[in-house]
Amino acid sequence: MGTKVVRWIIGILIGCAVLVGIYFILPGQYHYRIKEFIQKNTNRTYKEIVREMKTKMVPGYENRTFGDLMSKGTEASAWTVSTLTADKSGNGTYQVYADGYKVDLDIEHAVNDDTNKSYSRAHVRLVFNIEYMEKKITKVTLVKIKVEEDNFVPKDVYYSEILQGLMERAFGK
């Protein structure tokens, strides 16, 4: 009887280890969707932050939210959160990641010369720093846009081209 219990426990542990291993080797479009699901169902603060972030307006575009931008402009979008600094009540600074996949973009002069850079079925990540106080987002800063392995920050000329390309993909011209 005792050996059967030990076998069951070992079997469960091996099964869990296999699932965790599979999770970590999954491609990002599945990995981040699972992470979003886990965060949404286990952390109320993260859930509230993501819900509010999806309703924030894209600067320079009337009636266009970041939630619409990612859900309509990309496939398999996922929103995840990491804590930078926070107290026990959840007040603090967080980093929010909006990931989208299968994006086609053409950017002029994206490589510091006169060539165009094209991305086909690319992974796009918007990175925000936010301040969250008393269950409200008080400040949002779009820190960078990452397309595949290239990082674009607000001071880059092509930063606005990427945002414009995503807007056109999501809402048409």
Side-chain angles (χ1 to χ4, degrees):
M1 179 69 178
T3 58
K4 284 188 177 187
V5 171
V6 171
R7 283 189 210 162
W8 273 98
I9 292 173
I10 290 173
I12 290 170
L13 289 175
I14 290 172
C16 289
V18 167
L19 288 175
V20 168
I22 289 171
Y23 169 76
F24 283 111
I25 62 170
L26 281 174
Q29 66 189 41
Y30 306 110
H31 179 86
Y32 291 121
R33 297 283 304 247
I34 293 170
K35 185 175 181 178
E36 175 187 39
F37 177 79
I38 292 169
Q39 284 186 347
K40 187 168 42 173
N41 291 303
T42 60
N43 191 317
R44 179 174 288 166
T45 302
Y46 285 4
K47 182 178 180 178
E48 291 170 359
I49 288 171
V50 168
R51 183 176 38 238
E52 193 172 337
M53 277 301 300
K54 286 182 178 181
T55 63
K56 293 289 183 191
M57 296 294 169
V58 179
Y61 298 93
E62 289 185 26
N63 301 321
R64 303 293 192 216
T65 65
F66 283 109
D68 288 340
L69 173 68
M70 293 306 288
S71 66
K72 295 177 182 174
T74 67
E75 293 182 29
S77 65
W79 291 75
T80 55
V81 181
S82 67
T83 304
L84 298 177
T85 59
D87 60 18
K88 291 180 182 178
S89 64
N91 296 331
T93 308
Y94 295 85
Q95 198 153 58
V96 179
Y97 306 98
D99 291 281
Y101 293 86
K102 300 179 183 174
V103 178
D104 298 326
L105 290 172
D106 289 316
I107 305 166
E108 296 180 17
H109 315 299
V111 205
N112 297 330
D113 59 20
D114 290 334
T115 61
N116 293 347
K117 179 108 180 190
S118 292
Y119 297 96
S120 178
R121 301 182 63 76
H123 168 219
V124 174
R125 174 176 258 196
L126 305 180
V127 181
F128 303 91
N129 282 349
I130 66 156
E131 291 178 14
Y132 188 73
M133 298 292 167
E134 299 174 11
K135 301 193 183 275
K136 287 186 180 179
I137 295 176
T138 58
K139 183 179 178 186
V140 176
T141 306
L142 180 55
V143 178
K144 68 179 174 181
I145 300 175
K146 185 173 183 174
V147 183
E148 292 297 335
E149 297 303 316
D150 298 327
N151 291 308
F152 300 98
V153 294
K155 65 183 177 185
D156 292 335
V157 174
Y158 14 87
Y159 176 87
S160 60
E161 285 186 52
I162 295 169
L163 203 51
Q164 179 64 36
L166 285 172
M167 294 300 284
E168 287 175 4
R169 181 176 160 90
F171 304 109
K173 292 191 179 198

